[in-house]
Amino acid sequence: MYEPLENPLGGARPPSNTPQTPFGNPFYGASSVLIRGGLGAYGEKILGSSSEYMQSNISRYFSDPQDYFQVNDHYVRNKLKVVLFPFPAQGGRLSYKPPIYDINDPDLYIPLMALGTYVVLAGFSLGLQGKFTPEALNWLFMKGIVGWFLQVSLLKMSLFSLGGAEAPLLDIIAYAWYAFTGLCLAVLGRIIVSYSYYFLMSWTCLCMGICLVKTMIRVLFSEVRSFDSSRHHYLLLFIALAQFPLFIWLGNITLNWLF
């Protein structure tokens, strides 16, 4: 058997200082660092683009609720004119800015105040008829919420049918709740002069239908979609006509779900 060679100077042979790496590759540590760095940068790029995409869509379809309450007296007066007298031509595209900067953009201040006023006026009307009870306010509020839900559903389905156009959810909620401004006017007319209710109800139904049709057209403009087909025209006409049964149902101040 061969004996291991010894150091010529008589000492033991020094151990080798070469690091042991997997598969005997001395560049394994450096390559793994490069791979981890490249994968990390690629992952950050993917996550960053995905995060920006999600943030842009969330900000578009789920706007900040605080923006919808940025109103002043000037805006409220002009917005009521737009809702109750929508015959003059309005602006084209929606800007998706707080309503204080653009009269065409929706708010939630007027709809919420209109809903509360509707419940109070309807309760007062029941009191004049001798039918008021504390539970009647809850009943009227629930009736208003059901009417609002039906209006929101109508607008969402209409936008989907008009080429899949989209709008922020709070915008749709605000548009649906503007109906209560006209209802307040009609119910107030019934309290003051009962026969004026029929004229005011017809007027507010017509105005709300025109206002919603113009709003749907502006949403389509903002989404750069065409609505020139006859099918779209019929659907917009249906939105306007659907306001009449909805207003008549909500304007009939009783404690029954139907009439």
Side-chain angles (χ1 to χ4, degrees):
M1 299 296 293
Y2 293 97
E3 298 293 336
L5 296 177
E6 296 183 356
N7 192 302
L9 299 178
R13 185 177 181 178
S16 175
N17 294 327
T18 303
Q20 299 297 322
T21 60
F23 309 107
N25 182 8
F27 300 102
Y28 174 79
S31 62
S32 63
V33 172
L34 293 176
I35 292 174
R36 288 196 299 269
L39 290 177
Y42 185 69
E44 290 179 359
K45 182 179 180 179
I46 294 178
L47 293 176
S49 60
S50 300
S51 177
E52 292 177 359
Y53 177 79
M54 292 180 63
Q55 289 179 1
S56 63
N57 280 274
I58 289 175
S59 62
R60 183 177 183 183
Y61 299 119
F62 299 94
S63 304
D64 187 359
Q66 295 181 356
D67 293 342
Y68 291 84
F69 293 93
Q70 296 185 23
V71 299
N72 53 21
D73 295 339
H74 178 73
Y75 170 83
V76 172
R77 287 194 301 269
N78 290 332
K79 192 66 175 184
L80 290 176
K81 293 178 183 178
V82 170
V83 174
L84 298 177
F85 302 96
F87 300 102
Q90 303 299 325
R93 296 176 181 269
L94 296 175
S95 61
Y96 296 107
K97 295 179 180 179
I100 194 174
Y101 301 113
D102 189 351
I103 192 63
N104 292 319
D105 284 338
D107 69 286
L108 287 175
Y109 174 79
I110 294 177
L112 287 175
M113 293 298 102
L115 176 61
T117 305
Y118 163 77
V119 173
V120 172
L121 290 175
F124 186 74
S125 178
L126 287 176
L128 294 178
Q129 302 172 24
K131 300 179 181 179
F132 177 79
T133 60
E135 293 78 13
L137 294 179
N138 294 332
W139 182 265
L140 293 170
F141 178 77
M142 289 303 300
K143 188 175 183 179
I145 292 298
V146 171
W148 159 79
F149 177 77
L150 293 175
Q151 186 85 301
V152 170
S153 302
L154 173 64
L155 297 181
K156 288 293 290 183
M157 290 187 295
S158 300
L159 284 177
F160 180 78
S161 301
L162 291 171
E166 290 290 346
L169 178 61
L170 292 180
D171 281 18
I172 301 298
I173 292 175
Y175 293 136
W177 254 340
Y178 281 132
F180 289 99
T181 57
L183 280 171
C184 291
L185 184 62
V187 175
L188 181 61
R190 166 179 279 180
I191 294 174
I192 298 175
V193 181
S194 59
Y195 292 105
S196 66
Y197 167 79
Y198 302 100
F199 169 76
L200 292 174
M201 179 61 71
S202 302
W203 174 263
T204 54
C205 288
L206 178 63
C207 292
M208 192 63 202
I210 294 175
C211 182
L212 287 179
V213 168
K214 288 186 174 183
T215 298
M216 294 299 102
I217 293 175
R218 285 199 298 270
V219 171
L220 293 176
F221 270 133
S222 65
E223 294 290 331
V224 197
R225 286 174 169 82
S226 174
F227 56 95
D228 292 331
S229 67
S230 59
R231 181 176 64 89
H232 292 170
H233 290 159
Y234 284 123
L235 187 55
L236 292 174
L237 179 62
F238 174 74
I239 294 175
L241 295 178
Q243 302 308 305
F244 286 87
L246 180 63
F247 271 59
I248 292 174
W249 178 64
L250 291 174
N252 186 37
I253 310 301
T254 63
L255 297 180
N256 298 322
W257 275 111
L258 295 178
F259 294 101

